[in-house]
Amino acid sequence: MAKYAGVSEATVSRVLNGKPGISDATRTAVLTALDVLGYERPTKLRGERARLVGLVLPELQNPIFPAFAEVVAGALSKRGFTPVLCTRTADGVSEADYVEMLLDQHVSGIIFCGGLYHQAAAEHEHYHRLHDRGLPAVLVNAAIDDLGFPRVSVDDGHAVDQAFNHLSSLGHKRIGLILGPADHAPSNRKLAAFQAAAAESSTVDENDVERVIFSMEGGRAGATRLIKHGVTGIICASDVQALGAIRAARRLGREVPDDVSVVGFDDSLFMNCTDPPLTTVRQPIQAMGQAAVTLLVSQVAGTLVPTEEMLFEPELVVRGSTGALQEARATTAA
């Protein structure tokens, strides 16, 4: 532990025994090392929180989550906090389990990204416990109501508006939407925007919506059904779903973007390197991550922060997976 903290064993002993003559920085370094390495604090020190911050993610397979973690970890480190990455696993380590572990480590606060707060039908008791205990926390992207935490979100509705208008401008009259589960808050915001846009169109059917899991396989299944229903422009709730949609189009003998155009959401790593490069709506993760850290650190310092949602505007990034519909091109050429 002394090596981890960068101090002598004698200094560690002085900190653990509450001896005078130790600087605040050295004391913090020793206590942080104690927490990170999993040692029990002495009883008289257990009431103090370490300068640890939990970062709870649902997965690391979707590149948007590691990218967000990188932004948050860097911002926390610059402010003197040590991030603790917690990723839910298929073998039973749940979000609630991680919250218990983080509380045991006396963390200063927790930032959640893509958590169960998105889903109305999920278990939320661990959020209520955190709120009741007054532990600083921030939620990233749309949450169910009444959790009481500050929120930093991308404007899902505006994301769909941008994608819809882009496809319409390319001549697509049958536009469909691939979303996450029915109780998924960000997906429901996207759905509301899609339905509003469809209501103003004479050709778009607001029922051309597929609910699937957030995976390439889910995107492929949803896109297969939409394409068979005559849809030529597909908006997806994630880049991973969009890659599945492109695969579905090819399996059905369609060319992307000549026959079917696909728009993703996130602009995660390497989406400009796919075949074709993916048109997508970019989440401003740099600005959102910095804002989440600022909100958390302010709470840790005892400053009251607003619980109203902070909405960040996304950006449409046009690449090769969208193009003018063949009919539209033929009309222009004529």
Side-chain angles (χ1 to χ4, degrees):
M1 185 173 64
K3 183 177 180 180
Y4 187 97
V7 299
S8 68
E9 292 185 4
T11 298
V12 171
S13 177
R14 291 178 66 82
V15 170
L16 297 184
N17 288 291
K19 300 295 184 182
I22 301 295
S23 69
D24 289 341
T26 298
R27 188 169 181 274
T28 297
V30 171
L31 293 178
T32 298
L34 197 75
D35 294 325
V36 171
L37 297 175
Y39 293 103
E40 286 287 336
R41 289 188 178 207
T43 303
K44 60 186 175 182
L45 298 178
R46 288 179 188 172
E48 302 181 20
R49 286 179 179 164
R51 290 182 68 81
L52 301 175
V53 171
L55 175 56
V56 182
L57 305 173
E59 57 163 312
L60 294 177
Q61 292 183 343
N62 185 335
I64 196 65
F65 293 119
F68 184 82
E70 183 177 11
V71 172
V72 170
L76 286 171
S77 297
K78 288 180 181 178
R79 295 172 184 245
F81 290 88
T82 301
V84 180
L85 182 62
C86 302
T87 307
R88 299 204 308 261
T89 63
D91 57 358
V93 183
S94 68
E95 190 173 88
D97 292 334
Y98 276 127
V99 167
E100 288 300 321
M101 295 178 195
L102 292 170
L103 290 174
D104 287 343
Q105 294 297 324
H106 305 281
V107 294
S108 296
I110 303 176
I111 295 176
F112 295 89
C113 181
L116 296 179
Y117 56 88
H118 284 335
Q119 298 171 247
E123 174 58 54
H124 302 126
E125 179 59 29
H126 54 289
Y127 298 120
H128 297 304
R129 287 189 59 237
L130 289 177
H131 188 266
D132 291 344
R133 292 182 60 159
L135 187 76
V138 178
L139 310 180
V140 177
N141 280 328
I144 64 168
D145 294 331
D146 302 325
L147 290 181
F149 293 114
R151 290 168 291 165
V152 173
S153 303
V154 68
D155 190 334
D156 292 291
H158 190 47
V160 168
D161 288 341
Q162 291 184 63
F164 191 99
N165 292 336
H166 173 61
L167 291 173
S168 295
S169 72
L170 294 172
H172 293 274
K173 300 183 184 303
R174 295 291 305 278
I175 298 173
L177 182 66
I178 296 178
L179 298 173
D183 67 337
H184 186 248
S187 291
N188 290 334
R189 291 186 177 184
K190 291 180 174 72
L191 176 62
F194 178 79
Q195 290 174 330
E200 297 180 2
S201 169
S202 60
T203 61
V204 175
D205 185 348
E206 69 172 28
N207 296 313
D208 279 335
V209 176
E210 292 292 333
R211 295 279 196 172
V212 301
I213 61 174
F214 282 100
S215 69
M216 191 176 296
E217 294 75 18
R220 178 180 167 185
T224 297
R225 292 189 287 269
L226 290 174
I227 293 169
K228 288 182 176 180
H229 198 237
V231 166
T232 64
I234 301 175
I235 303 169
C236 300
S238 76
D239 289 341
V240 175
Q241 287 177 335
L243 296 181
I246 292 174
R247 180 173 294 182
R250 288 174 171 161
R251 289 292 180 91
L252 293 172
R254 271 54 163 204
E255 294 294 328
V256 178
D258 291 347
D259 303 310
V260 176
S261 286
V262 178
V263 182
F265 177 78
D266 283 335
D267 195 28
S268 45
L269 190 63
F270 302 130
M271 290 305 106
N272 62 334
C273 301
T274 58
D275 179 26
L278 185 67
T279 294
T280 187
V281 183
R282 175 182 294 159
Q283 287 203 67
I285 59 170
Q286 185 72 34
M288 291 171 63
Q290 294 285 351
V293 170
T294 298
L295 285 170
L296 188 84
V297 172
S298 296
Q299 292 177 79
V300 172
T303 304
L304 289 177
V305 299
T307 56
E308 290 81 7
E309 187 174 31
M310 294 178 62
L311 279 182
F312 287 75
E313 185 169 341
E315 176 188 0
L316 178 69
V317 181
V318 179
R319 299 192 182 107
S321 67
T322 54
L325 193 61
Q326 284 187 340
E327 296 173 7
R329 286 200 303 272
T331 301
T332 303

